[in-house]
Amino acid sequence: MKKLMAANWKMYKTVEEGVKTAEELTGLLGEMPADREVLVCPSLTMLQAVCPILKQAGCHAGAQNFYPSKQGAFTGEIAPEQLLDLGCTHALAGHSERRHVLGEMNELIGRKVTFGLEAGLHMILCIGETIVERRLGQIEEVLARQLESGLAEVLTTARAENLSVAYEPVWAIGTGEVAGPDEVLAAHAFVRAKLKSLLPQEGGRVRILYGGSVKPDNAAAIIRLDNVDGVLVGGASLKADSFSQIVLA
Ligand code: 13P
């Protein structure tokens, strides 16, 4: 299984800056290593400009969010079909900033996963516990709930190659505090077991990414842990040289 090395540019960069970073990144990566796949999720504003640059280099372009409807009166939202129209192949759902800053609930996130898959996008369901939940010993309960509701309606139709899960402990996002190897191993083993029980046919092959303060100097150790099939990188993906080092770690 190829490792999926994913960049989440969040709400950063102008179109010009995004194009420059994408060009630098694809230049630095050159020929893609056989065991890696690269995905960049920029802001919607620059998708049209950045998609062709990524595609030409064999990288994927993804969206950070969408609304689960074909079209309609949803002011300010964007539909999966509009993303596909721009050349997008992947999308995130349930990122912790959408859960905790924008108040997205499990039920809506589940609808996004189902709708995105049906529209033909590769969906990355993001899950993770807060520091309070970790201290209260609720990690497994939280991850189980987020997986069950996130995948509630795709149980029979999901195909492993179209679905990934990103474990991003909220306390490790943007804090410089990366989860230790034992913490990553335990969480990913739990996610793997849960995926196998929810998706008996495909759960063993759904990629599980780690996200939260991944940097060039810790990426190699993280990516080699059991059940770590890729990474989802925020801050360190904004510069082409640091993200290219992570991709090649
Ligand atoms: P950082 O890599 O900045 O911690 O962000 C992780 C993240 O939220 C990726 O989606």
Side-chain angles (χ1 to χ4, degrees), residues 113-121 123 153-154 157:
V113 174
T114 313
F115 201 91
L117 285 172
E118 281 172 6
L121 290 166
M123 291 303 303
E153 288 172 40
V154 295
T157 52

Side-chain angles (χ1 to χ4, degrees), residues 160-180:
E161 53 274 26
N162 298 332
L163 182 67
S164 303
V165 169
Y167 170 62
E168 299 200 292
V170 179
W171 48 273
I173 295 180
T175 58
E177 199 179 331
V178 67

Side-chain angles (χ1 to χ4, degrees), residues 8 10 92 95 97 168 172-175 211-215 232-236:
N8 175 6
K10 306 193 178 183
L92 308 180
H95 190 277
E97 286 140 23
E168 299 200 292
I173 295 180
T175 58
S213 297
V214 176
K215 305 274 184 267
L232 180 54
V233 187

Side-chain angles (χ1 to χ4, degrees), residues 26-236:
T26 52
L28 286 167
L29 290 176
E31 202 141 304
M32 204 60 63
D35 61 343
R36 301 279 146 112
E37 260 181 79
V38 175
L39 164 68
V40 178
C41 302
S43 292
L44 292 172
T45 53
M46 67 195 77
L47 265 176
Q48 186 163 20
V50 167
C51 271
I53 302 167
L54 294 170
K55 278 205 163 160
Q56 197 168 22
C59 302
H60 309 293
Q64 298 169 18
N65 183 42
F66 61 79
Y67 189 75
S69 187
K70 195 170 161 53
Q71 58 181 13
F74 301 105
T75 301
E77 294 296 333
I78 183 146
E81 307 234 340
Q82 294 174 311
L83 295 174
L84 291 161
D85 188 36
L86 291 176
C88 243
T89 50
H90 292 57
L92 308 180
H95 190 277
S96 91
E97 286 140 23
R98 299 208 61 85
R99 291 178 189 268
H100 299 290
V101 182
L102 293 149
E104 261 184 37
M105 308 298 282
N106 278 323
E107 189 270 337
L108 174 62
I109 295 163
R111 278 201 283 134
K112 289 187 183 189
V113 174
T114 313
F115 201 91
L117 285 172
E118 281 172 6
L121 290 166
H122 177 123
M123 291 303 303
I124 302 176
L125 169 64
C126 304
I127 60 172
E129 81 286 356
T130 64
I131 193 64
V132 173
E133 290 163 340
R134 173 166 281 263
R135 289 196 183 125
L136 290 172
Q138 296 172 344
I139 303 170
E140 296 192 352
E141 186 185 323
V142 170
L143 298 183
R145 194 165 55 236
Q146 292 176 343
L147 284 168
E148 282 161 13
S149 48
L151 302 175
E153 288 172 40
V154 295
L155 302 187
T156 51
T157 52
R159 300 281 310 278
E161 53 274 26
N162 298 332
L163 182 67
S164 303
V165 169
Y167 170 62
E168 299 200 292
V170 179
W171 48 273
I173 295 180
T175 58
E177 199 179 331
V178 67
D182 291 344
E183 292 164 325
V184 177
L185 281 169
H188 280 233
F190 177 79
V191 172
R192 176 64 70 210
K194 190 75 191 165
L195 282 170
K196 282 183 178 166
S197 82
L198 290 171
L199 307 168
Q201 309 272 328
E202 305 279 316
R205 295 190 303 119
V206 171
R207 281 187 285 200
I208 308 174
L209 318 184
Y210 170 79
S213 297
V214 176
K215 305 274 184 267
D217 60 2
N218 61 24
I222 293 170
I223 200 75
R224 282 166 183 78
L225 294 171
D226 268 2
N227 286 313
V228 176
D229 309 306
V231 287
L232 180 54
V233 187

